[in-house]
Amino acid sequence: MSFILSVLSFAAAGLFLAICAGCRRDRGCSAGEVLTLSFFLGAGFVAYQLLLLYALGVGYSLMNMIMLPVVFFVLAFSRYAARPGRFRELAGMGRGKAAWNLAEKLLLAGILLQIAWTVLLVVPVPVHSHDAVANYALKAKIFYLNGGIPRGFFGWEEAAVAHPDYPPFLPLLMTWIYSFTGFNDLAVNMVMPLTYAAFLGLFYCLLRRFFERSYSLLTVFILATVPQLADYATVIHSDLFLAAYVTLGLAYFILYTKEGDRTFLLLSSILFGVSLWVKNEAIVFTGAFAVVVFAFLAGEAPRRRRKILADAARAFLALAVVAAPWFAVKALQGAPNSDIDLSSMTLARFAKNAGGVPVILNLFQQEVFGPKKWNIFWVIFFASLIWKRRHLFKGQNSYIMIFLLVSAAGYFAGYMLTTGEDLFFYVNTTISRFMLHFCGVSALLAAFLLREEVGRIRSFRDPGKYVFLDRDGVINKDGENRTEYGYITRWEDFRFIPGALEALRRLKENGFKCVVVSNQKCVGKGIITGEELDDLTEKFTGEISRAGGRIEKVYYCPHLDEDGCDCRKPRPGMLFKARDELGINTMTGKFLIGDSERDMRAGKAAGLTTIFVLTGKYRRDDAAGWECKPDHICEDLGEAAELIIKKYSEK
Amino acid sequence: MQDMRLIFRKQTILKTVLAVWLALWVFFLAREDKDGQYEALAYNYAHGYAEKVGFLLGKDLYDVLVTAVNDMPGGAAYRLSGFEKFSIDEVRLRYYLWPMRSSGGEADFIIFNGESERPPAGYAEYRRLGSKGGIYKRKDGGS
């Protein structure tokens, strides 16, 4: 009971921080996401607060420790109490309406069984493994019995305590729990299965932002049942925490690239900031995070860069604020940092260790292909990379790939620069644990790479109902022979085709998500600027919303034919981008409505069912002569919408 | 037709991989007992904290630990002898002995493991547990 109270107390602080960071229903945050995120933010808060108390010379009495969480909880509660409806909203967030199929039930049962198994293994056993005792439990015992961190602790000799300068996240978290439970190294173990469950829960919630339920459950099941990850949920080690913070931090970043909401980048940076309190290796991951943020910035259109730059500046400021106290205390105490001694990181050492590269490669391949029981995860992962090699640097995949490559390079450089004498011993004793740090991120990448293929299996079929629409000639009247330049460049020229608004409303009412994919070479020609096009988009999508419809997202290709881009229809690049960003498992069974052969060819290339409407500049006879014939021909968007609704109801 | 065959093959591969994963998962769960884990688990569920620690450390080392905890003054500085450096026994002893503090330099006590010849200069035998180990104490009484 006291253990539960200890967790609830820091989770309450985490809840407040999550709400402050902007976790709200209108951002799609489910109750599960908010609660599990609260656990991780709260755990970070514990380390942050206890180190600040130490810096201020305040002892770790229960009263001193829970004062801030209580204030935070009251603030969070009063914010909700002001509008009681919010409690109901929070409780009902993310409630699924669709019935669970058998595969989903089995996967959920498997995940729960695996979590229960870890609990069963942990409950009766005191802290016992080598690092758990040497590196974490002893420190926590010292902090607890001393009523705080002893003065000068971070500079203590190794004979007294191993690695006193090591990031203090886990010992501080254990100290927090001891303050509630008394010194009890049985109860404190429970924090690991709980972390494991929270990690899987939040990972699932984030996957649901990209994938449908069955596929998300499958991914979580695979990750949960990687035996080494489950093993690390049964011992007090910070590796599970590091894997969790890094995976979740990156997942929030990927969400930011998809939705553009700076809250997600902020959460991502906070999680990476907390990871720096967990293990020294987090420095590598945080560096890789910075690289992917700048890669994203560089890949975006110039007009969006200013916003992304502002978001990134805010996020890195938050990261610095989160990480600063630990590094400040460490620097002020002259903590020696026995693991990362910058003075000994020389090129000469790198050159000396370079001769041991075959050793690292050999041990690495043993980890992947050797007989260890969890290697099948890595076999599947690397097989996915080879199978889907053409997709590795597309859409969100590219950011995860860059993150993995930079992090792996960082670990490799770490081996080369920090290992003194016995490279084989050091690599041999750490590589298995180090690869665990990459498990979650690798599972995330594999999920993105394999979603279309797995989506073809009946149990994991994507139930998402998407309709892709061309704009001019489908939703609004084409500008040719009507406007100044032959293009729709002004809102005044934008005329909805009769029945189009009603058709979009019908699609929305029947659960379809509409996505516009449109060539707009008028931008490439300089007739209209990107900002003007965005302005026009905002106006017409707003008009559709007011009429009861909804456009999920709008994709434009601004290029000219001679630019040779991948996105200009008849090429399917825009559709694939939409698929990647919207997390659609498979294009099979989804529709494209267009008014030209270009649309039909793009739709076919993407695997969509195509519908040709006669409200553009081509007639039924024209279509008869096309090389790529449409699957269906309809008079207008209204008829196409009814056809789609009927087709789905027949399914 | 060729596409259909391709899809079928991919699906089959994926289904096979998932089936193998499931089978291995069940197998690994069942194999948890390979090192006698179930027996250890049953023991831990059935016994109190002291017995669990004794089970972890082994009887000999546990007796040394109990002697040290009972007979050495709280907060004493000690040094471990006869333990492999960074061995699990060494780190566990350091953990259970806190607030007695392990010291790299001069220590009030030396806790030794197994048989030991004679006390080092400046130390006298304080406790001995046959071949299990024992404790030496500094002759001048230490700090």
Side-chain angles (χ1 to χ4, degrees), chain B residues 92-131:
Chain B
R92 281 176 180 165
L93 267 192
R94 279 161 61 167
Y95 172 60
Y96 287 116
L97 284 171
W98 186 270
M100 285 180 251
R101 182 172 167 173
S102 166
S103 164
E106 283 295 301
D108 305 333
F109 296 89
I110 295 174
I111 300 171
F112 62 91
N113 186 29
E115 297 279 5
S116 175
E117 294 177 357
R118 67 177 89 86
Y123 286 86
E125 191 170 294
Y126 181 62
R127 295 285 183 273
R128 179 174 280 280
L129 299 165
S131 60

Side-chain angles (χ1 to χ4, degrees), chain A residues 110 113-114 117 120-121 123-125 127-130 133-134 137-138 141-142 145 156-162 183 185 218 221-222 225-227 373 376-377 380 387 453-454 456-457, chain B residues 7 10-11 13-15 17-18 20-22 24-25 28-29 31-32 34 37-38 41 44-45 49 52-53 56 86-88 91-99 101-105:
Chain A
L113 177 63
Q114 183 66 63
W117 182 251
L120 183 83
L121 294 179
V123 163
V125 185
V127 175
H128 62 281
S129 77
H130 189 286
V133 176
L138 177 56
K141 189 176 180 183
I142 294 171
L145 295 181
W156 276 12
E157 58 173 356
E158 289 273 331
V161 59
F183 181 72
D185 70 352
L218 177 67
F221 175 77
I222 295 285
T225 53
V226 170
K373 62 183 184 178
I376 186 172
F377 174 79
I380 292 173
W387 184 10
E453 303 299 344
V454 176
R456 290 190 172 116
I457 299 174
Chain B
I7 290 167
K10 283 179 188 172
Q11 265 190 281
I13 291 166
L14 283 168
K15 281 179 179 173
V17 168
L18 291 177
V20 168
W21 184 277
L22 265 176
L24 283 176
W25 175 56
F28 288 143
L29 279 184
R31 210 179 61 141
E32 290 275 7
K34 69 178 169 29
Q37 187 161 325
Y38 291 158
L41 205 59
N44 280 315
Y45 269 106
Y49 184 74
K52 289 175 190 182
V53 173
L56 268 180
F86 301 127
S87 67
I88 185 70
V91 300
R92 281 176 180 165
L93 267 192
R94 279 161 61 167
Y95 172 60
Y96 287 116
L97 284 171
W98 186 270
R101 182 172 167 173
S102 166
S103 164

Side-chain angles (χ1 to χ4, degrees), chain A residues 117-181:
Chain A
W117 182 251
T118 61
V119 173
L120 183 83
L121 294 179
V122 160
V123 163
V125 185
V127 175
H128 62 281
S129 77
H130 189 286
D131 278 14
V133 176
N135 211 359
Y136 309 112
L138 177 56
K139 289 176 187 172
K141 189 176 180 183
I142 294 171
F143 299 166
Y144 173 68
L145 295 181
N146 188 59
I149 304 172
R151 284 287 134 197
F153 173 83
F154 298 108
W156 276 12
E157 58 173 356
E158 289 273 331
V161 59
H163 306 310
D165 56 337
Y166 206 72
F169 173 88
L170 193 46
L172 290 174
L173 187 62
M174 292 165 77
T175 307
W176 179 279
I177 295 167
Y178 285 152
S179 300
F180 285 80
T181 60

Side-chain angles (χ1 to χ4, degrees), chain A residues 504-521:
Chain A
L504 290 167
R505 185 180 63 78
R506 286 275 298 144
L507 285 171
K508 189 194 167 207
E509 282 172 351
N510 284 276
F512 290 90
K513 294 173 180 170
C514 297
V515 178
V516 169
V517 281
S518 175
N519 289 344
Q520 289 296 331
K521 68 178 174 185

